[in-house]
């Protein structure tokens, strides 16, 4: 049987290797000059390729969050099986304390090279710089029109990715191609993306990193929370903890704000006691130096300013003043104005409607022989290796079953 795969990213490469291992002849079509360009940028160049918690519920989202359960839970496609599969390609992995899995080499290039070597198979015909422009299907024969050729096959797998990460391959192409076959998509929005906020404080703190708990608040209450590293930028805030809550900003309505807690392991009472001891030790100094030693110097100054204290002497701060500073440390509120766009996002939330695909095969319910996998579907995962795990599991499932 012959299978055409549109997209040589994570899921398309996994699908191609798997389809060939089941004896199929494969055309793998990639519009960029090389396969796996986005993969090289993942995990800050280290490629956070999975997460040991990816089999546990709650990490995937979409109109039907259970759609991904089957592929991710199948014993031959789950995290353990994925690690073994990469092992069979020569790639060893290590997990970090937060469950994130990385290549032992700590280089995304190792993941890509292992996949590239496996693509070097007489059954796989790889065409790069090959943009697919149209698809036709007649009597279950798929005719795929590319800028530099026409490919005919018995099955077609769409692995074109989503709109996120435009500079490394993200585009709207896959949705348009699927629409030619009668498929529909849900509303798309950027996820795992930086937040735009009222700029005054982030701008003053540009480049500063801090450990914090972050809570996204709307008039209805708490929308999402996370804890970890945040980075202040020219236009707002970034960093892993921010990515974790960004989906709630994309989907949230009304006035949103983010509340930062710079000492999440302490309660406010403990913080006040500590500030009292610092007041005694810092006599004669300006109040904006009170937090020196606890936070990055600029962050300490900004928290004091936010709480209303700058040049007065530390000695003059009353207990009530210290309580205000402690409140600023634990409840630093910044109005949120939105998220950055798809180009900056790591993943697209929304995608091809999953009720139009069978979760057990990833075959279209509209066009038999047509499959979709990876980010082009309405499935998005949390930050931490979950999106690549979905790419591997879904790509391999489609590759396994494309000859049914
Ligand atoms: C900067 C960045 C960092 C990330 N870091 C991580 C991480 O550490 N861990 C994690 O789990 N996830 C991470 N992600 C998300 C993850 O990379 C994606 O979810 C995953 O790559 C999706 O795989 P895919 O195969 O569906 O799509 P992609 O990997 O995007 O591949 C799709 C491919 O299809 C090609 N294509 C599109 N249209 C056509 C066409 N018409 N003709 C031919 N080819 C076409 C594209 O050029 C692309 O190569 C990151 C994303 C970004 C942008």
């Amino acid at each position: 049987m012959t299978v055409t795969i549109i997209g040589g990213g994570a899921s398309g490469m996994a699908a191609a290797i798997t389809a060939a291992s089941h004896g199929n002849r494969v055309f793998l079509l990639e519009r960029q000059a090389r396969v796996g360009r986005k993969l090289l940028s993942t995990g800050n160049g280290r490629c956070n390729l999975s997460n040991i918690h990816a089999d546990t519920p709650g990490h995937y989202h979409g109109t039907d969050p259970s759609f991904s359960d089957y592929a991710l839970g199948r014993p031959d496609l789950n995290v353990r099986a994925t690690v073994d599969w990469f092992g069979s390609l020569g790639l060893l992995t290590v997990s970090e304390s937060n469950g994130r899995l990385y290549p032992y080499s700590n280089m995304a290039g190792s993941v890509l090279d292992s996949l590239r070597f496996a693509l070097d198979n007489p059954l796989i015909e790889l065409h790069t710089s090959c943009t697919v422009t149209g698809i036709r299907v007649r009597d279950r024969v798929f005719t795929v029109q590319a800028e530099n050729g026409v490919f005919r096959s018995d099955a077609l797998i769409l692995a074109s990715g989503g709109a996120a990460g435009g500079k490394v391959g993200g585009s709207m192409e896959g949705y348009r191609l699927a629409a030619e076959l009668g498929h529909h998509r849900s509303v798309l929005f950027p996820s795992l993306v930086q937040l735009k906020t009222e700029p005054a404080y982030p701008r003053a703190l540009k480049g500063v990193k801090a450990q914090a708990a972050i809570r996204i608040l709307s008039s209805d209450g708490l929308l999402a929370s996370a804890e970890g590293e945040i980075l202040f930028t020219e236009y707002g805030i970034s960093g892993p903890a921010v990515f974790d809550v960004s989906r709630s900003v994309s989907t949230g309505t009304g006035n949103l704000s983010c509340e930062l807690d710079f000492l999440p392991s302490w309660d406010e009472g403990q913080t006040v006691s500590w500030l009292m001891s610092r007041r005694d030790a810092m006599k004669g100094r300006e109040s904006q130096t009170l937090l020196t030693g606890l936070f990055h110097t600029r962050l300490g100054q900004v928290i004091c300013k936010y709480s209303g204290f700058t040049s007065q002497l530390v000695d003059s701060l009353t207990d009530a003043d210290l309580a205000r500073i402690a409140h600023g440390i634990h409840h630093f509120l910044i109005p949120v104005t939105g998220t950055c766009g798809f180009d900056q996002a790591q993943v697209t939330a929304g995608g091809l409607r999953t009720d139009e695909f069978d979760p057990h095969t990833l075959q279209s319910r509209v066009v038999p022989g047509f499959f979709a996998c990876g980010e082009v579907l309405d499935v998005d995962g949390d930050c931490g290796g979950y999106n690549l795990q979905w790419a591997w599991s879904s790509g391999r499932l489609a590759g396994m079953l494309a000859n049914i």
Side-chain angles (χ1 to χ4, degrees):
M1 202 159 165
T2 309
V3 183
T4 302
I5 300 173
I6 302 175
S11 67
M13 288 188 281
I17 294 163
T18 309
S21 74
H22 283 68
N24 299 294
R25 184 162 175 245
V26 176
F27 296 122
L28 178 59
L29 314 180
E30 167 54 49
R31 84 182 150 94
Q32 299 187 83
R34 297 187 63 182
V35 290
R37 179 137 181 250
K38 190 184 280 182
L39 203 54
L40 288 178
S41 323
T42 59
N44 287 323
R46 295 172 62 209
C47 186
N48 175 199
L49 65 119
S50 181
N51 192 298
I52 57 171
H53 305 299
D55 305 339
T56 56
H59 295 295
Y60 291 91
H61 317 281
T63 308
D64 174 8
S66 69
F67 180 83
S68 55
D69 289 354
Y70 178 79
L72 292 162
R74 241 177 92 128
D76 54 350
L77 295 174
N78 62 16
V79 177
R80 180 74 257 159
T82 303
V83 167
D84 290 346
W85 182 68
F86 272 111
S88 75
L89 305 184
L91 187 93
L92 295 188
T93 55
V94 285
S95 67
E96 297 196 338
S97 54
N98 49 14
R100 294 178 183 213
L101 285 160
Y102 290 90
Y104 182 71
S105 67
N106 247 336
M107 286 170 55
S110 302
V111 182
L112 180 56
D113 287 343
S114 311
L115 293 164
R116 280 196 311 109
F117 286 162
L119 290 175
D120 191 6
N121 175 327
L123 284 174
I124 301 175
E125 212 177 281
L126 171 63
H127 294 261
T128 50
S129 302
C130 180
T131 302
V132 172
T133 53
I135 307 170
R136 273 185 299 116
V137 56
R138 197 165 172 193
D139 299 332
R140 229 194 126 149
V141 173
F142 291 89
T143 305
V144 171
Q145 179 70 52
E147 273 172 355
N148 40 3
V150 175
F151 301 85
R152 290 200 174 76
S153 59
D154 312 297
L156 175 65
I157 300 177
L158 183 65
S160 56
K167 292 194 185 81
V168 283
S171 79
M172 296 294 287
E173 276 302 286
Y175 312 114
R176 186 187 63 73
L177 291 170
E180 286 186 12
L181 294 178
H183 277 276
H184 303 90
R185 67 166 170 85
S186 59
V187 176
L188 308 177
F189 45 89
S191 189
L192 307 193
V193 65
Q194 299 90 330
L195 299 188
K196 289 184 181 168
T197 66
E198 285 289 319
Y201 289 119
R203 199 164 282 161
L205 290 167
K206 188 176 165 187
V208 171
K209 287 180 179 170
Q211 291 296 318
I214 175 168
R215 297 181 276 267
I216 301 298
L217 307 173
S218 77
S219 49
D220 296 333
L222 179 69
L223 295 185
S225 63
E227 202 173 314
E229 188 178 273
I230 60 160
L231 167 70
F232 291 94
T233 68
E234 177 76 21
Y235 48 81
I237 48 175
S238 181
V242 173
F243 288 172
D244 276 335
V245 296
S246 59
R247 197 178 201 283
S248 72
V249 172
S250 286
T251 51
T253 50
N255 292 333
L256 302 180
S257 51
C258 90
E259 187 180 64
L260 299 173
D261 180 346
F262 295 106
L263 262 182
S265 55
W266 286 11
D267 63 33
E268 266 179 75
Q270 278 174 291
T271 306
V272 171
S273 306
W274 190 84
L275 291 177
M276 284 174 172
S277 68
R278 293 311 298 152
R279 177 176 57 190
D280 294 342
M282 299 282 279
K283 282 199 173 100
R285 297 187 188 277
E286 283 186 357
S287 55
Q288 62 169 342
T289 62
L290 185 67
L291 303 178
T292 303
L294 177 61
F295 299 127
H296 186 290
T297 312
R298 265 192 285 151
L299 177 60
Q301 289 167 351
V302 163
I303 292 173
C304 290
K305 187 174 175 201
Y306 172 87
S307 311
F309 305 98
T310 48
S311 55
Q312 55 272 69
L313 289 180
V314 167
D315 330 31
S316 69
L317 296 175
T318 64
D319 289 357
D321 294 338
L322 295 185
R324 271 176 64 190
I325 295 174
H327 191 78
I329 291 173
H330 291 282
H331 303 277
F332 194 99
L333 211 58
I334 315 178
V336 173
T337 53
T339 69
C340 288
F342 282 111
D343 273 357
Q344 281 86 23
Q346 289 199 359
V347 72
T348 312
L352 294 183
R353 273 175 50 176
T354 47
D355 58 346
E356 295 178 347
F357 290 86
D358 179 350
H360 298 99
T361 59
L362 301 182
Q363 182 168 206
S364 162
R365 297 186 197 277
V366 181
V367 181
F370 174 56
F371 298 74
C373 55
E375 199 178 306
V376 73
L377 284 163
D378 180 6
V379 174
D380 62 290
D382 289 344
C383 186
Y386 296 97
N387 288 292
L388 280 173
Q389 181 57 54
W390 167 241
W392 313 129
S393 295
S394 62
R396 290 179 61 217
L397 181 63
M400 243 174 226
L401 298 178
N403 57 359
I404 54 176

